[in-house]
Amino acid sequence: MDVYGLIGNPVGHSLSPPMHEAGYEALDLDARYVTFEPDADAAAAAIAGAADLGVAGLNVTVPFKQDALSAVDAAPLAERIGAVNTVDYGPVRAGEADRPRGHNTDAAGVTRALAHHDVTVDGRDALVVGAGGAGRAAAFALADAGATVHVANRTAERAVELAADVPGATGGGLDDLGDRVAAADLLVNATSVGMEAPEETPVPADHLHSDLAVLDAVYAPIETRLLREAAAAGATTVDGAWMLLYQGVEAFEIWTGEDAPVNAMNAALRAELE
């Protein structure tokens, strides 16, 4: 049996176990997905030593995505983003490497979620609201896919710093958000606004328009105020569960070498969110 899992603190709320286990069941794979919750000072050692326990792959969530970089051979995209959320122990188990391979599949979560909804990224103007971990992944993902990216953040300095790392990107505060949204083809909310307070939105309704595609990284609730108002404006909307799904799909495919059973994994995920 192959053992995969999630390392973070806390992890009790995670939706990854049912999503991945539905994938194993659909493909009749002899595998299980479990969770690990180490202390902060033990995270890097736990990631480095998991292969000795027979672990085949790990997802990594907060607050350990940066810590994981020191324990893996990071893929170029993960290195650029500065965070690892997927660890593949296959090279170590095969005797081909001393350290596991580290990936960032959050970026694929963005682009594959948009592709699922037939949203074109190449050549488009993209606005990313938020300069934290999700914002970094989104900005790199969209830029690498051919979009021109602007990062807007409440603290403008953080947006400018992120934009300096992303090819061709610009960054700034929220003062000109209305003009930025009006000029954008794609909008990604990479903040938590709308999660703990569902009546809140990062973008006022009068800024939204019908030529826009909106991806909200918030997945609880699935339908945020931003998405409701974007749909009312005629925009294409993509809820955060699609991003969560496709970052998991990407990890599943890295670990198993199989095409992920997307429909089965999506059904399991949404059943948990209902």
Side-chain angles (χ1 to χ4, degrees):
M1 175 183 291
D2 285 323
V3 176
Y4 303 98
L6 172 69
I7 185 170
N9 195 334
V11 292
H13 65 288
S14 176
L15 300 174
S16 292
M19 179 173 65
H20 281 274
E21 296 232 336
Y24 306 148
E25 182 178 355
L27 296 187
D28 197 26
L29 298 179
D30 187 17
R32 290 297 306 273
Y33 191 98
V34 298
T35 58
F36 304 94
E37 195 170 292
D39 293 334
D41 58 0
I47 292 168
D52 294 334
L53 299 177
V55 173
L58 283 177
N59 285 138
V60 184
T61 190
V62 292
F64 301 140
K65 291 185 179 183
Q66 288 75 40
D67 293 338
L69 280 168
S70 66
V72 302
D73 176 15
L77 180 58
E79 193 74 53
R80 291 165 62 211
I81 293 174
V84 166
N85 80 324
T86 298
V87 181
D88 177 20
Y89 293 93
V92 175
R93 298 172 81 196
E96 299 169 353
D98 295 326
R99 300 205 300 170
R101 188 72 162 158
H103 302 268
N104 188 301
T105 68
D106 289 331
V110 173
T111 52
R112 293 183 70 167
L114 292 171
H116 182 94
H117 291 78
D118 298 321
V119 175
T120 300
V121 175
D122 189 19
R124 300 301 181 93
D125 289 320
L127 172 62
V128 176
V129 181
R136 286 191 67 83
F140 277 100
L142 295 171
D144 286 356
T148 300
V149 176
H150 180 79
V151 181
N153 193 64
R154 182 172 55 184
T155 305
E157 290 79 5
R158 291 193 66 190
V160 171
E161 290 171 1
L162 170 54
D165 293 335
V166 178
T170 56
L174 301 179
D175 292 344
D176 62 346
L177 188 63
D179 291 339
R180 292 289 181 180
V181 175
D185 303 301
L186 304 176
L187 168 64
V188 176
N189 172 36
T191 76
S192 61
V193 175
M195 181 170 62
E196 293 184 358
E199 72 281 2
E200 294 183 355
T201 177
V203 180
D206 58 0
H207 294 346
L208 304 168
H209 55 87
S210 60
D211 294 326
L212 195 62
V214 180
L215 168 61
D216 195 337
V218 172
Y219 57 82
I222 291 180
E223 186 183 59
T224 60
R225 178 180 172 184
L226 172 61
L227 293 183
R228 286 196 306 273
E229 293 179 343
T236 299
T237 60
V238 184
D239 66 60
W242 290 109
M243 183 176 167
L244 178 62
L245 169 70
Y246 277 108
Q247 63 78 30
V249 163
E250 187 83 1
F252 185 103
E253 293 175 346
I254 289 170
W255 292 332
T256 68
E258 304 277 355
D259 290 335
V262 174
N263 290 339
M265 294 174 71
N266 183 48
L269 173 60
R270 290 179 185 270
E272 295 292 322
L273 288 169
E274 288 180 353

